[in-house]
Amino acid sequence: MEKKNMLVLFGSPRPGGATARLLHEFLQEVDSEFIRVTTFDAYRGNYHPCIACGYCQTREACVFPDLDEFDRELRAADYLVIAAPVYHLSFPAPCKAVMDRWQRYFEARFSMGIRPPIEKPKTAAFLTAYGSGNSEGAHMMTRQLELAFTVLNTKLEHVVEWPHTDQTGISEVPPEVIEKAHQAALAMTRKT
């Protein structure tokens, strides 16, 4: 049996922080015998932001080649996982820079008429941690992903939130959050 592919976009500056721990819990339920996981770290990759140069309006590419490997992995992926904390009601800047580069897929669809711009359908999960108890930022980020995913041939099926990290700290992931993360991973990959 050929392995399925999971692409993870990790968008936190803290490799040992709450978002990383939430992602770790999620990945605990992903069977590496059947699923190959590839992670792109938005902070460590130092990816260029979109400069709205118009290059992708006439070709299926970006003027910057630094995300070409991400593009190959995205096109091959069966599953897409976005793991990012809430920063001022949105994604941290390096993560958002990667997402803004998805403009190439919007241009492929709307400027060049390629439908869908990414042929292989995907199931997605969004994992997020935030310091407050207010979930508004997580909901806004979820909506951003849902809209972007309409062009990426991707359906967001699982959202796992870890709130109150400022008050409770991150020394232990709450059992209910662990359970949600595990259940999301199992449900997402159950067809494997």
Side-chain angles (χ1 to χ4, degrees):
M1 175 186 237
E2 186 177 329
K3 282 190 177 188
K4 298 229 178 192
N5 297 302
M6 177 178 286
L7 175 59
V8 176
L9 175 59
F10 181 68
S12 173
R14 298 176 59 209
T19 302
R21 298 194 61 210
L22 182 56
L23 176 60
H24 173 77
E25 290 297 337
F26 179 89
L27 292 175
Q28 289 296 304
E29 296 299 327
V30 174
D31 190 339
S32 61
E33 183 178 342
F34 300 104
I35 299 172
R36 180 180 69 92
V37 177
T38 302
T39 301
F40 279 79
D41 187 322
Y43 277 85
R44 307 299 171 278
N46 198 25
Y47 302 112
H48 285 278
C50 178
I51 59 170
C53 66
Y55 186 88
C56 60
Q57 291 176 342
T58 58
R59 55 190 71 80
E60 282 190 271
C62 180
V63 70
F64 299 118
D66 58 344
L67 284 172
D68 285 354
E69 184 181 350
F70 182 90
D71 173 64
R72 285 189 293 276
E73 293 291 341
L74 180 62
R75 290 177 187 278
D78 300 284
Y79 312 109
L80 178 59
V81 178
I82 309 295
V86 176
Y87 274 27
H88 300 280
L89 301 177
S90 191
F91 293 92
C95 187
K96 182 71 165 60
V98 173
M99 294 167 60
D100 285 348
R101 294 275 298 282
W102 295 348
Q103 183 64 26
R104 67 184 290 175
Y105 309 114
F106 283 78
E107 294 296 352
R109 179 175 176 181
F110 297 109
S111 294
M112 293 184 282
I114 300 169
R115 295 176 185 253
I118 294 182
E119 193 171 320
K120 190 175 194 178
K122 294 151 206 352
T123 302
F126 172 44
L127 313 175
T128 188
Y130 46 96
S132 76
N134 184 338
S135 62
E136 184 177 0
H139 294 165
M140 292 173 74
M141 294 161 75
T142 298
R143 186 65 183 134
Q144 288 176 58
L145 289 174
E146 289 170 338
L147 291 172
F149 287 169
T150 63
V151 174
L152 301 181
N153 201 6
T154 300
K155 183 170 174 41
L156 181 61
E157 291 189 357
H158 308 281
V159 176
V160 181
E161 299 177 31
W162 180 4
H164 303 290
T165 58
D166 285 349
Q167 290 82 21
T168 61
I170 63 167
S171 60
E172 289 188 39
V173 183
E176 66 275 10
V177 174
I178 291 173
E179 180 65 20
K180 286 180 186 176
H182 289 180
Q183 290 303 315
L186 290 169
M188 184 177 190
T189 61
R190 72 181 170 267
K191 297 172 191 165
T192 301

